[in-house]
Amino acid sequence: MKNRICAALLAMGVAALVGCNNSGNAPTDTPTSGKISISVDESFQPIIETQVSTFEGIYKYADITANYRPEGQVVKDLLNDSTRIAVLSRELTPEEKEVFDKKQLVPRYTKIAIDAIAIIVNRNNPDSLLTLEQLRNVFDGKVKSWQQLNGKSNLKDITIVFDNNNSSTARYVKDSLTTNHTLPQNTFASDSHKALIDYVTQNENALGVIGVNWISDLDDTTAIGFQKRIKVVGISTDPAPLSTESYYQPYQAYIAQGKYPLLRYLYIISTEGRTGLGTGFAAYVAGDKGQRIILKSGLVPATMPVRVVGLN
């Protein structure tokens, strides 16, 4: 009888404990299990898809839903608490940080990669080498035609194309390559990265701006297919280059060495107030296995050294 009473009391205690743990909206995820949604800058969809898939393959009880959106929407998701984990190519502004100060939350940054912005043109365009000064003049609206860049060119007015008006690539160009943080009237937005590639493929006058992640992974059939349809522009920081050796494309080695000028960092930003699945995912991406995936993708890992081998 005594054993039965003890067993009954133990069962009641366990039931009460479970009831307390499941009460309200208390989170139940751990660093390697549970279910969360994260918001991701769509410029980085290829690499984050691979990271999520691999993470879930290792941790069978982890379920991460990644929502790929323009940068502006990702920031909104973070600010209105629609997500606690965001993948962005910039840190939060002082105004955005104030929102979290009022909530008594401290955003945590995990730097996971060095990325680049790629400039692409039609395969029939002979002008696939530009100086940084020329590029600034294009985005400032001072240069509006290919003939202004090359008097021998048969091409006409330049059409600048982004993936989205609210994208991180458009924001990067406005912040880094324009004088007044505005884009010229000959700028247009496509509906997606694929639509951007399609437009540049079909229009000889186009100049496209895209995250290098979409064209850098030489083991990815989609990236290889994209590269075959366009030219990637080489850029020189020298205003008067004496040879083609002064121009650099966004290859991994040139990104790592800082020779390619249009660089940006990639962060996982967390507002989790505890060590949950988002924290576990960020740690995985910044760890050895996650960084090897970034290395393979053609980006530069943020937390592991890259060996650059010179060939003579």
Side-chain angles (χ1 to χ4, degrees), residues 115-123 125 127-136 138-139 146 149 158-163 169-170 172-174 176-177 183 196-197 200 205-215 226-227 229-236 247-251 255 260-264:
D115 178 50
I117 299 295
I119 306 299
I120 60 175
V121 295
N122 185 277
R123 291 196 69 84
N125 191 330
D127 298 307
S128 57
L129 298 175
L130 297 173
T131 67
L132 190 59
E133 182 179 2
Q134 287 175 322
L135 203 57
R136 291 183 189 278
V138 169
F139 290 124
W146 290 105
L149 295 171
I158 298 171
T159 302
I160 303 170
V161 190
F162 289 91
D163 54 325
T169 52
Y172 176 92
V173 168
K174 285 188 286 186
S176 305
L177 298 175
L183 295 170
L196 168 60
I197 296 287
V200 174
N205 294 316
L207 183 148
V209 186
I210 192 170
V212 75
N213 182 213
W214 284 90
I215 56 174
F226 283 165
Q227 279 207 25
R229 298 171 57 196
I230 49 88
K231 282 183 181 179
V232 180
V233 173
I235 301 173
S236 174
Y247 295 87
Y248 296 96
Q249 291 181 309
Y251 295 142
I255 295 172
Y260 184 76
L262 307 183
L263 303 179
R264 58 183 182 174

Side-chain angles (χ1 to χ4, degrees), residues 9-267:
L9 290 173
L10 180 61
M12 291 172 62
V14 171
L17 182 61
V18 171
C20 289
N21 286 341
N22 290 335
S23 62
N25 295 318
T28 58
D29 58 289
T30 74
T32 58
S33 67
K35 184 175 183 179
I36 61 167
S37 293
I38 66 176
S39 195
V40 182
D41 181 339
E42 59 191 4
S43 295
F44 306 102
Q45 182 172 344
I47 184 63
I48 298 302
E49 279 185 341
T50 303
Q51 295 281 9
V52 170
S53 175
T54 307
F55 183 84
E56 291 178 338
I58 296 172
Y59 302 106
K60 302 297 183 182
Y61 299 103
D63 183 1
I64 299 176
T65 299
N67 299 302
Y68 300 100
R69 293 168 175 163
E71 180 186 78
Q73 185 58 52
V74 174
V75 174
K76 287 182 181 179
D77 288 346
L78 201 59
L79 294 177
N80 64 25
D81 210 24
S82 296
T83 185
R84 293 292 180 92
I85 303 294
V87 180
L88 289 167
S89 62
R90 66 171 177 86
E91 296 186 18
L92 298 175
T93 66
E95 293 76 17
E96 291 162 352
K97 289 178 181 177
E98 285 183 6
V99 175
F100 294 107
D101 290 340
K102 293 177 181 178
K103 298 178 182 179
Q104 296 185 330
L105 288 173
V106 179
R108 289 173 293 169
Y109 296 87
T110 302
K111 187 185 294 184
I112 61 172
I114 305 175
D115 178 50
I117 299 295
I119 306 299
I120 60 175
V121 295
N122 185 277
R123 291 196 69 84
N124 293 328
N125 191 330
D127 298 307
S128 57
L129 298 175
L130 297 173
T131 67
L132 190 59
E133 182 179 2
Q134 287 175 322
L135 203 57
R136 291 183 189 278
N137 287 335
V138 169
F139 290 124
D140 264 336
K142 296 176 182 177
V143 170
K144 298 181 179 180
S145 74
W146 290 105
Q147 290 180 343
Q148 286 179 267
L149 295 171
N150 178 3
K152 297 179 180 180
S153 177
N154 294 320
L155 301 181
K156 299 179 181 179
D157 292 343
I158 298 171
T159 302
I160 303 170
V161 190
F162 289 91
D163 54 325
N164 188 293
N165 277 330
N166 204 21
S167 71
S168 59
T169 52
R171 191 263 312 158
Y172 176 92
V173 168
K174 285 188 286 186
D175 288 351
S176 305
L177 298 175
T178 65
T179 303
N180 298 317
H181 301 287
T182 57
L183 295 170
Q185 293 183 346
N186 57 325
T187 302
F188 300 90
S190 58
D191 295 329
S192 65
H193 291 85
K194 182 182 181 301
L196 168 60
I197 296 287
D198 288 343
Y199 187 89
V200 174
T201 301
Q202 296 164 11
N203 294 271
E204 293 185 343
N205 294 316
L207 183 148
V209 186
I210 192 170
V212 75
N213 182 213
W214 284 90
I215 56 174
S216 61
D217 190 345
L218 298 181
D219 291 326
D220 181 77
T221 55
T222 301
I224 293 172
F226 283 165
Q227 279 207 25
K228 290 180 178 179
R229 298 171 57 196
I230 49 88
K231 282 183 181 179
V232 180
V233 173
I235 301 173
S236 174
T237 56
D238 188 339
L242 297 178
S243 71
T244 57
E245 293 181 358
S246 297
Y247 295 87
Y248 296 96
Q249 291 181 309
Y251 295 142
Q252 192 173 51
Y254 298 146
I255 295 172
Q257 295 171 335
K259 291 182 177 180
Y260 184 76
L262 307 183
L263 303 179
R264 58 183 182 174
Y265 290 108
L266 182 58
Y267 303 91

